[in-house]
Amino acid sequence: MSDTRFSPPVKTPRSPEEDAGGPAQTGARWPLPEEAFWSEEADPHGVAPGELTEPQPAVRVDDPQTTTDERPQQQPQAAAERSRPQPRTTTDDRPQQQPEPQQEPQPPKRKRDPFLDNVKFVLIALVPIGHSLVPTLAADSNRALYIFIYTFHMPLFVLISGYLSRNFWNSNAKTNKLVDTFLVPYVIVEVGYALLRVSVGQKWSLTIIDPAWLNWYLLALLFWRLSTPVWKRMKYPVPVAIAIYLFAGFSQISGDFSMDRFFGLMPFFVIGLVMQPEHFEMLNRRWIKILGVLTILGAAAVAIYLAPKAPLDPFYFKASYQDLHLSWYMGLGLRVGLLVCSLAMCFAVLALVPRGETWFSDLGTRTLYCYLLHGIPVLIAKEMGWLEFPWLFGPLGALAIASSCFALAIVLCLPETRTIFKWVLEPRLVWLYRRPSRS
């Protein structure tokens, strides 16, 4: 028997998420973009953040803890009845109050940060430009632009891929994409380009284990992501990756399964893997932006100087010291210097790319389509001789090629392009995987 006037207030139990600051308190500034190469979509077969795996029982309000405000309000009585002494009411005599069902708080949706999308579009626009410059490399201006682009655009692509692979193995859907957006598109694109080469008069050539042309990136990224758990377990992953990168130059590594590029660009992937959002924020300082402008201008000047005499093989990050006709110490020096220059340009570009919403932010979410489809018009243009006009061999020609390919990149990153080719390049093979348990 207890007096309800001295009942303590109701204490609603706090959920673990509320104690931890809520599901959105992750500490990361940017969500991982939802794009095919670096997809971070919510797991359609798993449990979303903040979702409970089992229905939770409602909190029962015990009688001794019921406050006076929660008891049913009584209707006014007559004055005589109010003056009559009322018996003490026990907790057993009061009607039971039905607790209201509590709704689980829905985790707020993380807004997509446009910065990485801006970076990806800038980089993907450089890919068709570089491939289209190949027939005109006899001109020093075109060759200088080619060297400038290849010094940083694929290394920075790999670095961003590493950054977006940090949590790749934490989701079943992202693990499934090892097949959905790597292996299946790889086979389809290999067969498609083999048929395209035959249609323009070339011989039939199809070797699945030796990726043709631009398809090397799919296999290299597949193996980089498969190696991610190993790098995350290491104490010093970056020095180890650099050591492997340097010693790989002593061996003539085969191009099968993109193994030559896998080792040649490995440091950039591992550096991206260990980077945190605060590292990108450090690049947003004014003095670093000024230094970035000077770095880009200096790199352009060096590319113009080296264009007439520098070989192109080192900028592909795959040739051995023997293939480059270098001694071991000269080869090591070349690889170290190229790594330093590429990283400097990568960080300069990251510092200068706009961080807010731009007109091309949305285009950066569909870079897969530009990467895999731009080879069709570029290959046709090469075979038809459209890239061999004499006026293209010079600064004006380099500018014309760059402008045309930039427009091509915009078209291939449009949502309409994705609508047409999504069934080929982003197949949803849900039937292929087991549905994980929700318990």
Side-chain angles (χ1 to χ4, degrees):
M1 305 286 289
S2 62
D3 194 344
T4 58
R5 291 175 297 177
F6 298 95
S7 300
V10 174
K11 297 181 179 180
T12 305
R14 292 174 60 86
S15 66
E17 291 179 351
E18 293 174 344
D19 294 335
Q25 304 295 330
T26 60
R29 179 181 177 87
W30 301 295
L32 302 184
E34 301 173 2
E35 201 269 333
F37 273 145
W38 308 287
S39 177
E40 299 295 338
E41 297 175 348
D43 187 351
H45 307 306
V47 182
E51 180 182 352
L52 298 178
T53 56
E54 295 180 358
Q56 301 297 308
V59 178
R60 179 178 179 180
V61 182
D62 296 332
D63 294 338
Q65 293 182 337
T66 305
T67 62
T68 55
D69 294 335
E70 293 175 333
R71 296 196 306 271
Q73 299 294 331
Q74 298 179 355
Q75 299 295 330
Q77 304 294 330
E81 292 179 356
R82 289 199 305 267
S83 62
R84 183 182 305 170
Q86 300 295 329
R88 294 173 63 91
T89 303
T90 66
T91 56
D92 297 335
D93 297 329
R94 296 196 309 271
Q96 297 291 333
Q97 181 178 356
Q98 297 295 331
E100 297 181 358
Q102 295 185 353
Q103 296 182 352
E104 293 298 329
Q106 296 294 330
K109 293 184 177 179
R110 295 184 298 176
K111 186 179 179 180
R112 186 185 185 104
D113 192 287
F115 172 61
L116 293 182
D117 293 332
N118 295 338
V119 174
K120 289 191 295 179
F121 178 75
V122 171
L123 295 177
I124 201 62
L126 296 175
V127 174
I129 294 176
H131 289 160
S132 300
L133 286 172
V134 173
T136 65
L137 292 181
D140 291 344
S141 56
N142 302 48
R143 191 180 182 91
L145 179 59
Y146 186 85
I147 292 175
F148 177 82
I149 291 174
Y150 270 74
T151 303
F152 76 93
H153 84 305
M154 289 313 300
L156 185 51
F157 244 133
V158 177
L159 188 147
I160 296 298
S161 299
Y163 175 75
L164 297 178
S165 298
R166 297 175 304 157
N167 301 319
F168 186 81
W169 292 100
N170 294 349
S171 168
N172 290 320
K174 289 179 282 187
T175 305
N176 295 349
K177 286 186 175 294
L178 290 175
V179 175
D180 292 357
T181 58
F182 290 106
L183 295 182
V184 173
Y186 173 79
V187 175
I188 293 175
V189 172
E190 279 290 318
V191 175
Y193 276 106
L195 295 174
L196 179 61
R197 288 191 294 269
V198 172
S199 65
V200 295
Q202 298 184 14
K203 294 182 179 180
W204 170 263
S205 175
L206 178 63
T207 305
I208 296 296
I209 65 173
D210 185 13
W213 198 14
L214 53 83
N215 228 8
W216 68 267
Y217 189 71
L218 290 180
L219 280 187
L221 184 55
L222 171 65
F223 288 113
W224 282 323
R225 281 188 165 169
L226 289 175
S227 68
T228 296
V230 178
W231 298 113
K232 295 181 71 173
R233 290 283 299 170
M234 288 186 180
K235 288 185 178 181
Y236 310 105
V238 175
V240 172
I242 294 176
I244 295 175
Y245 157 78
L246 295 176
F247 281 100
F250 289 100
S251 302
Q252 292 180 291
I253 302 175
S254 171
D256 292 349
F257 298 108
S258 301
M259 284 294 101
D260 49 358
R261 301 286 187 105
F262 171 79
F263 290 104
L265 292 166
M266 178 183 291
F268 301 99
F269 182 83
V270 178
I271 290 173
L273 197 63
V274 302
M275 288 185 70
Q276 299 296 326
E278 52 267 25
H279 297 143
F280 290 91
E281 193 63 29
M282 291 173 59
L283 299 173
N284 197 26
R285 301 174 182 177
R286 179 176 298 179
W287 69 271
I288 294 183
K289 292 180 180 293
I290 296 174
L291 185 60
V293 173
L294 297 177
T295 301
I296 295 297
L297 294 177
V302 172
I304 294 174
Y305 173 76
L306 294 177
K309 49 189 174 183
L312 299 177
D313 289 341
F315 300 98
Y316 300 138
F317 293 90
K318 64 177 184 177
S320 65
Y321 305 147
Q322 181 179 347
D323 293 335
L324 296 175
H325 306 288
L326 297 174
S327 61
W328 67 269
Y329 57 89
M330 291 295 292
L332 288 174
L334 177 63
R335 283 212 169 193
V336 171
L338 189 58
L339 177 64
V340 172
C341 293
S342 297
L343 285 175
M345 293 185 67
C346 289
F347 294 137
V349 172
L350 289 174
L352 296 177
V353 170
R355 294 176 175 266
E357 192 77 25
T358 64
W359 63 269
F360 55 86
S361 297
D362 181 65
L363 299 177
T365 64
R366 292 177 289 273
T367 54
L368 172 69
Y369 296 88
C370 180
Y371 186 83
L372 294 181
L373 296 176
H374 81 273
I376 299 176
V378 171
L379 182 60
I380 294 175
K382 286 181 179 180
E383 293 297 325
M384 299 298 294
W386 298 340
L387 296 175
E388 297 178 1
F389 294 121
W391 65 273
L392 293 176
F393 290 74
L396 182 61
L399 180 61
I401 292 175
S403 301
S404 302
C405 292
F406 187 80
L408 175 64
I410 294 175
V411 172
L412 295 180
C413 289
L414 291 175
E416 290 78 8
T417 304
R418 183 183 186 185
T419 302
I420 297 173
F421 294 99
K422 183 177 181 179
W423 65 277
V424 178
L425 301 182
E426 287 185 289
R428 297 302 304 273
L429 306 178
V430 180
W431 55 269
L432 189 61
Y433 311 107
R434 292 183 300 175
R435 186 180 183 89
S437 174
R438 300 176 67 90
S439 59

